[in-house]
Amino acid sequence: MARGENVCLARQTMTIPAKTALMVGHPGHELRVFQWLEMHRPLVCCLTDGSGSLGLPRVDSARRLLGKSGASPGAIFCRISDKQVYRFILDGNSEFFVGLVDELARIWIAAEIDVVAGDAAEGFNTAHDLCRFMIDAAVARVQFLCGRRLTNYQFLLEGRPDACPAHLRESAICLHLDEQALARKMAAASDYAELKPEVELAIQHFGTEAFALECLYPSDTGSMLALWEREAPGYERFGRLRVKEGRYKEAICYREHILPIVDAIQRAVEA
Ligand SMILES: [Zn+2]
């Protein structure tokens, strides 16, 4: 409330460093913004334990990486397994996500956070997209609960690490890593044993140099929601294909499964 507003104002006028928070869908995403982590030492929340379909959590690696960067884990950290998330989505368990939004907002209020960053919604992975929807809703909830406006950044996980839409470039944070910073980032990535195949694939695909630029830009969820009014997200097309091939029992579909959760989350912001 008024207290929060005053703290926020004090930081702006007295140039006290902003308090930052990161919220990611899976442990390991933080590697994409490793330099930003080192610079700001955010409070880090994470939806799943990264256990994937094989059920192998990567919580220890995630904690080790945070320790190296100086960031710290928040109260929501690797809260559930990936299998549980998919089950909740398919079962339409929007209460779980609504509850998490409120919890996230209260964590940020208690820690007097000014700036948040996290996954972008890219239509590639439902946990990434839900994470973004929850961040946006939690930012709105903070404003509803105490009047504070948090700055809300996103970064890509599937797209190029150095990509930034032209219309958002002016308000983006673009960090150019020097040789040492890039070496630290690459060392942290190779220390993340569970992500070895993904890291190798990403370097092969984009080249190491692409990771020498970190772009965090204002949340752009609206443009993706508008896009998915016209065409199905990639995960839905992929899931349907897998069902056809007999490799998946059911596919997560945007209109049937995701949109009702998004609506519930948005409705609950001012509850
Ligand atoms: Zn992920």
Side-chain angles (χ1 to χ4, degrees):
M1 261 161 278
R3 183 174 165 268
E5 279 172 358
N6 290 341
V7 171
C8 201
L9 201 64
R11 285 216 181 84
Q12 282 165 8
T13 52
M14 294 165 65
T15 62
I16 295 169
K19 287 194 177 183
T20 57
L22 179 76
M23 169 70 184
V24 292
H26 298 128
H29 293 184
E30 62 279 11
L31 275 168
R32 278 261 174 148
V33 288
F34 190 74
Q35 169 80 339
W36 184 79
L37 238 65
E38 284 186 322
M39 288 172 71
H40 296 283
R41 303 176 163 225
L43 181 69
V44 179
C45 288
C46 179
L47 176 62
T48 86
D49 60 7
S51 51
S53 54
L54 298 175
L56 300 170
R58 44 183 200 242
V59 185
D60 292 344
S61 296
R63 285 189 186 277
R64 201 167 57 238
L65 184 136
L66 295 193
K68 268 185 203 161
S69 66
S72 50
I76 301 172
F77 195 71
C78 304
R79 176 65 61 90
I80 53 170
S81 71
D82 291 303
K83 281 183 183 168
Q84 277 174 307
V85 170
Y86 294 128
R87 199 62 262 161
F88 286 163
I89 294 171
L90 287 165
D91 291 347
N93 185 350
S94 51
E95 295 82 11
F96 169 77
F97 299 102
V98 166
L100 221 50
V101 167
D102 184 60
E103 192 179 343
L104 192 58
R106 290 174 195 278
I107 289 169
W108 291 345
I109 290 169
E112 297 180 342
I113 297 297
D114 308 299
V115 176
V116 300
D119 298 2
E122 296 173 271
F124 164 73
N125 181 297
T126 47
H128 301 184
D129 289 8
L130 277 171
C131 175
R132 169 46 51 190
F133 301 139
M134 287 194 289
I135 295 170
D136 291 347
V139 166
R141 182 110 180 114
V142 169
Q143 191 173 0
F144 174 76
L145 290 173
C146 69
R148 294 183 63 191
R149 266 176 202 269
L150 307 190
T151 311
N152 181 5
Y153 292 107
Q154 65 176 37
F155 53 90
L156 299 178
L157 292 154
E158 175 63 8
R160 282 191 68 86
D162 53 355
C164 182
H167 69 288
L168 295 169
R169 205 161 287 156
E170 255 182 43
S171 35
I173 299 171
C174 291
L175 301 174
H176 297 264
L177 281 64
D178 62 20
E179 221 170 282
Q180 290 88 349
L182 183 60
R184 283 197 306 279
K185 184 176 184 173
M186 289 300 146
S190 51
D191 191 34
Y192 222 115
E194 301 91 333
L195 287 178
K196 200 168 182 276
E198 281 96 331
V199 168
E200 282 175 357
L201 198 70
I203 292 173
Q204 209 176 35
H205 192 62
F206 298 119
T208 309
E209 272 312 298
F211 294 92
L213 183 63
E214 293 179 1
C215 290
L216 297 93
Y217 54 88
S219 174
D220 191 29
T221 314
S223 64
M224 297 310 284
L225 292 176
L227 174 71
W228 297 328
E229 283 299 311
R230 305 191 298 274
E231 60 181 67
Y235 59 76
E236 179 174 329
R237 284 179 273 135
F238 179 81
R240 285 185 188 278
L241 202 68
R242 285 283 184 263
V243 170
K244 227 178 188 177
E245 292 167 352
R247 293 169 70 179
Y248 282 7
K249 273 193 209 139
E250 47 197 338
I252 294 179
C253 299
Y254 176 68
R255 283 186 187 283
E256 189 185 342
H257 301 109
I258 300 293
L259 206 49
I261 297 175
V262 176
D263 289 344
I265 286 173
Q266 289 176 345
R267 275 198 310 274
V269 164
E270 298 194 359

